[in-house]
Amino acid sequence: MLPGHRSIKTALRTALWFMFLTLPFMVVRVNTLKGEVEWRWQNMLWVGLAVFLLAIVWDIALSNRHKRSDRKPSASQTLSRLSQRVFHDKTVYLPIIAGVFCLALLFPWLFNTYQVNIMVLALMFVVLGLGLNITVGLAGLLDLGYIAFFAVGAYTYALLNTKFGVGFWFSLPIGGIVGATFGILLGFPILRLRGDYLAIVTLGFGSIAKIVFENWEEVFNGAKGIAGIGRPGLFNIEMSLEATTTYIYYLMVALVMFAAFMTNRLKESRIGRAWLALREDEIACVTMGIDMARTKLSAYAFGAFWAGLVGVIFAARNTYINPNSFTFMESALVLSVVVLGGMGSIVGVMIAAMVLILLPEYLRAVAEYRMLVFGAVMVLMMIFRPQGLVSNVHRYYRKHSETDAAQKG
Amino acid sequence: MEYFLQLFSSGLTRGSIYALIALGYTMVYGIIQLINFAHGEIYMIGAFVALIVSGVLTIYGFSGASILVFAAVVAVIYAAAYGYTLERIAYRPLRGAPRLSPLISAIGMSIFLQNYVLLAQTPDFLPFPALIPEFEFIEPLAHIIGSAELVILTVSTISMIALTALIKYSRIGKAMRATQQDMHMARLVGIDVDRVISVTFVIGSVLAAIGGVLVGSYIGQINFYIGFMAGIKAFTAAVLGGIGNIPGAVLGGLVLGLSEAFAAGYISSAYEDVFAFGVLVLILILRPAGLLGRAVKQKV
């Protein structure tokens, strides 16, 4: 569809408006410390051009969005039908899973340690995403302080290891359980809060956790952090750095599979259905006899459990942690993984974590713009594709029963 | 006693800034029930524009308090423009969407604006030109209240009075109150609801920008990240007073500012921010409607 005369006129006006908006920020760069001013007029041209093109695309996309709600078949529906086929036709998805699995197993032998290390990071975010997906995606409780549970896990292992000499494997479940306990503890006071208050309070909890880690010198060693944390061992065998990286990599692959399996089973379980019901309509859900407190607390506990677990591995991988690894930006990163992936969708979260972590690592040029892009992605996804890249497979059941009803009636 | 008075005036100053920002949160929430997460960023943008304008002018050899006034006017215009654009891009297309959607969109906008300023300007703290003049008549009280604090108190009081008058007596203020009470009914009687919402964002942004300029010249340095903490504290203030309630926002801001100043002065300043969050959590648990708010029954 070609843009019409009117939309070009609007785009021109939008471009001019944004040139005005960005004028002080993009053109002037003032250093009041040194008393220098730099004028960058060429930026104005780029802003104008970029906004002009974006405005045309925006216009088309918005009008498509409106049309989509009017008419039935469209590109996005074909896409979701395609994704449904991929996820439900065994002959299609089994080979794909097998292929991905083989690739995951062979990865450390095909690439060098640096790449493997980045992959470990991406896999950590996959598990974090799956964990937050339970709280936000399934139960609909927006948690902006999620990284605090991750920090709790990391500090649990760091303290257990450096002060009491507890080993990695013993600490791993402890980290998860401590995370889950904190999830429940923090969940209690905020049970009755509605969506947006909840978001702010969890944000507050996340920030409080960081400030406590920073300021409680006696226990957490303050801003200096804790160093010399033990790497994971395997029957007391001495391992080189490369071998440990590979070892952690396989550990993460196993954990991702375990987490994906668990969340998938949870989703279809009684408690999973209760989460979905709670997300859709709290009052109706409670009226149906679902225990609201238990359902919400279990969503927090399960989400925090995975974060605590990954936190332990994070501390073991880095051998050094400080409070700066656990800022709001990390929480926002995990949240954008969930949002981009499609709330509630497991495969979507996995793909989104890979894209959001690996892309900036490999494209160094965009690494600087990473948070800028995350912010924009969150806004655009909400407007144009709130169901995420891969929409939740649960829709399938509804459609199925509809056709059933149609056949019967 | 002197220490107490010092803490009192600094708490009052702080509190009136929180109140200025909190008003924006509360007005927006009152009308569309959205926590405008990016509101703190508007405040930051206001402060930054003022810094850029006054910085350039100082470097090119101008000086005096008139620069501050000029910079403040430019900052207010820009903040209003950003607030308007923010609503058009990130919130208007989501009207009628599930509640979580505009909130996530707001968080995205907040991250976007922070990094936009970070990339286009600088990640470092920049010193804000000291432009508030030293008044001589304040000399006998100088150990309790500085001229910057006096200016902040005066300007914020005037802004709040102006806002109250606007909402109470002007045509658009009446439309705002009507929309707040019942959006559908307001639309039925011919109020352009979209325009009212835009105006609300613009007014909120203007107040935030005034706060930003005042804080910038009071504290003396700013960076791209100041909006985050200020935003959360102002939100706390808004909730404390009862969100959606305009006198409540002012009261909440003052209470929060004073209690923070006393807690920092008499207990410990390391946990100052924890204190603000603690207040927020306690209020939400014990009295979610806030000090002045009425409990709203949820309709099924």
Side-chain angles (χ1 to χ4, degrees):
Chain A
M1 187 173 77
L2 278 172
H5 191 66
R6 259 191 62 199
S7 75
I8 288 186
K9 238 177 169 174
T10 343
L12 261 178
R13 227 178 313 147
T14 321
L16 280 178
W17 173 248
F18 272 87
M19 281 161 85
F20 161 73
L21 276 184
T22 51
L23 181 72
F25 291 97
M26 299 298 284
V27 173
V28 191
R29 179 183 263 159
V30 64
N31 190 331
T32 45
L33 207 61
K34 292 186 192 144
E36 287 166 0
V37 192
E38 187 190 336
W39 297 90
R40 302 166 294 177
W41 287 105
Q42 74 282 4
N43 280 351
M44 202 79 300
L45 194 68
W46 298 124
V47 169
L49 261 177
V51 172
F52 178 71
L53 294 176
L54 278 178
I56 290 178
V57 175
W58 177 272
D59 203 43
I60 294 172
L62 260 191
S63 64
N64 273 355
R65 189 179 79 146
H66 288 308
K67 270 186 203 141
R68 200 160 58 215
S69 48
D70 298 341
R71 268 187 298 151
K72 279 260 151 159
S74 76
S76 86
Q77 274 195 336
T78 347
L79 191 77
S80 58
R81 231 173 256 154
L82 189 76
S83 69
Q84 265 171 23
R85 257 203 57 199
V86 171
F87 293 126
H88 287 279
D89 194 343
K90 272 195 178 172
T91 55
V92 179
Y93 77 74
L94 279 182
I96 292 181
I97 289 182
V100 171
F101 185 67
C102 286
L103 188 70
L105 282 189
L106 289 176
F107 192 81
W109 313 104
L110 297 175
F111 297 94
N112 60 22
T113 312
Y114 173 73
Q115 319 270 4
V116 176
N117 222 346
I118 293 175
M119 203 52 174
V120 169
L121 189 73
L123 291 176
M124 282 182 179
F125 271 93
V126 170
V127 180
L128 284 178
L130 287 175
L132 187 63
N133 194 20
I134 295 177
T135 325
V136 179
L138 295 181
L141 306 162
L142 188 54
D143 187 345
L144 296 181
Y146 186 65
I147 213 71
F149 303 124
F150 178 66
V152 164
Y155 269 96
T156 305
Y157 176 55
L159 292 178
L160 281 178
N161 188 270
T162 53
K163 299 219 163 143
F164 306 104
V166 181
F168 171 79
W169 283 105
F170 194 67
S171 308
L172 191 61
I174 296 184
I177 291 166
V178 173
T181 314
F182 269 87
I184 294 175
L185 281 181
L186 297 188
F188 255 117
I190 50 183
L191 275 178
R192 281 187 305 160
L193 299 182
R194 275 180 299 118
D196 28 14
Y197 279 170
L198 189 80
I200 295 283
V201 172
T202 51
L203 175 68
F205 278 143
S207 309
I208 289 179
K210 182 172 175 268
I211 295 171
V212 170
F213 286 136
E214 250 169 15
N215 288 308
W216 199 351
E217 297 268 343
E218 298 83 27
V219 180
F220 303 113
N221 209 16
K224 289 192 291 295
I226 299 175
I229 306 164
R231 292 177 190 281
L234 181 70
F235 307 119
N236 294 326
I237 303 171
E238 280 291 315
M239 278 192 285
S240 65
L241 192 63
E242 283 90 53
T244 323
T245 311
T246 314
Y247 180 46
I248 297 182
Y249 171 79
Y250 281 122
L251 184 69
M252 280 313 302
V253 171
L255 191 64
V256 165
M257 291 195 320
F258 180 52
F261 174 75
M262 284 286 286
T263 30
N264 197 26
R265 300 301 295 169
L266 269 175
K267 203 165 106 178
E268 310 298 335
S269 72
R270 193 182 169 79
I271 189 94
R273 300 291 168 114
W275 287 335
L276 287 176
L278 195 73
R279 178 184 79 180
E280 295 305 328
D281 191 330
E282 193 171 318
I283 295 173
C285 167
V286 172
T287 323
M288 295 302 287
I290 290 171
D291 184 346
M292 192 260 282
R294 236 179 68 188
T295 314
K296 276 190 178 176
L297 286 181
S298 61
Y300 272 110
F302 276 110
F305 174 77
W306 292 112
L309 221 56
V310 183
V312 173
I313 300 179
F314 177 78
R317 165 183 177 257
N318 289 16
T319 70
Y320 168 73
I321 50 167
N322 75 353
N324 276 339
S325 312
F326 313 110
T327 59
F328 171 65
M329 281 304 133
E330 271 70 36
S331 289
L333 188 63
V334 186
L335 183 67
S336 44
V337 164
V338 176
V339 170
L340 183 67
M343 291 193 236
S345 151
I346 292 172
V347 181
V349 167
M350 291 166 104
I351 296 172
M354 291 292 175
V355 170
L356 287 185
I357 306 300
L358 295 185
L359 215 59
E361 291 291 343
Y362 287 114
L363 298 173
R364 278 284 156 200
V366 293
E368 217 182 320
Y369 299 97
R370 152 184 180 149
M371 289 316 286
L372 192 78
V373 173
F374 286 169
V377 160
M378 282 163 93
V379 177
L380 294 179
M381 289 301 282
M382 282 302 114
I383 296 174
F384 294 112
R385 208 172 155 75
Q387 71 272 41
L389 286 181
V390 180
S391 48
N392 197 348
V393 195
H394 256 288
R395 291 180 164 202
Y396 185 81
Y397 293 97
R398 205 182 301 153
K399 284 215 169 122
H400 196 68
S401 58
E402 265 170 21
T403 47
D404 267 6
Q407 276 162 4
K408 273 177 201 157
Chain B
M1 189 63 201
E2 195 179 301
Y3 188 54
F4 176 84
L5 284 178
Q6 267 171 15
L7 289 179
F8 187 78
S9 77
S10 95
L12 214 57
T13 317
R14 223 189 261 217
S16 57
I17 301 283
Y18 292 157
L20 277 181
I21 312 172
L23 283 169
Y25 276 112
T26 243
M27 290 194 319
V28 167
Y29 192 92
I31 289 187
I32 51 176
Q33 281 79 43
L34 161 77
I35 295 177
N36 179 12
F37 212 87
H39 190 59
E41 265 48 68
I42 298 291
Y43 153 88
M44 179 269 293
I45 280 176
F48 234 102
V49 170
L51 174 95
I52 291 169
V53 172
S54 61
V56 169
L57 288 179
T58 339
I59 288 165
Y60 285 136
F62 296 88
S63 64
S66 56
I67 291 186
L68 184 65
V69 175
F70 179 69
V73 170
V74 178
V76 161
I77 291 171
Y78 264 99
Y82 270 92
Y84 172 78
T85 316
L86 174 76
E87 193 268 329
R88 281 298 290 265
I89 292 181
Y91 307 142
R92 191 172 292 186
L94 289 174
R95 218 150 282 158
R99 279 181 77 121
L100 221 50
S101 299
L103 188 62
I104 291 175
S105 170
I107 295 167
M109 237 10 202
S110 160
I111 296 173
F112 182 86
L113 286 175
Q114 270 176 24
N115 286 276
Y116 155 69
V117 174
L118 166 83
L119 290 170
Q121 292 291 316
T122 167
D124 306 319
F125 269 99
L126 283 179
F128 205 97
L131 292 169
I132 296 183
E134 291 295 325
F135 299 120
E136 278 170 22
F137 64 86
I138 208 167
E139 211 51 53
L141 289 170
H143 55 286
I144 294 169
I145 185 167
S147 20
E149 287 166 337
L150 191 73
V151 169
I152 290 178
L153 286 177
T154 324
V155 172
S156 44
T157 314
I158 293 174
S159 315
M160 285 169 210
I161 292 173
L163 175 73
T164 316
L166 181 83
I167 288 176
K168 216 161 184 181
Y169 301 113
S170 76
R171 212 178 142 76
I172 187 76
K174 208 182 210 173
M176 280 166 73
R177 279 180 287 145
T179 313
Q180 175 160 15
Q181 275 180 10
D182 192 330
M183 194 187 279
H184 290 289
M185 197 60 212
R187 197 173 272 141
L188 282 180
V189 295
I191 292 171
D192 185 347
V193 170
D194 278 339
R195 192 166 146 261
V196 170
I197 293 171
S198 285
V199 170
T200 313
F201 270 86
V202 166
I203 295 174
S205 307
V206 166
L207 294 172
I210 293 173
V213 178
L214 292 174
V215 165
S217 41
Y218 176 52
I219 297 180
Q221 57 169 12
I222 59 169
N223 77 346
F224 70 97
Y225 202 57
I226 56 167
F228 182 70
M229 215 49 195
I232 291 178
K233 292 209 177 145
F235 178 76
T236 307
V239 173
L240 188 60
I243 196 149
N245 184 315
I246 287 174
V250 177
L251 179 71
L254 293 181
V255 169
L256 184 69
L258 283 173
S259 44
E260 236 183 54
F262 286 125
Y266 287 117
I267 305 168
S268 156
S269 60
Y271 288 93
E272 193 184 293
D273 294 338
V274 173
F275 184 76
F277 286 126
V279 169
L280 175 66
V281 174
L282 277 183
I283 281 289
L284 283 179
I285 294 162
L286 299 178
R287 197 178 151 78
L291 296 175
L292 296 186
R294 273 176 302 146
V296 184
K297 286 266 171 358
Q298 200 176 352
K299 286 181 197 150
V300 184

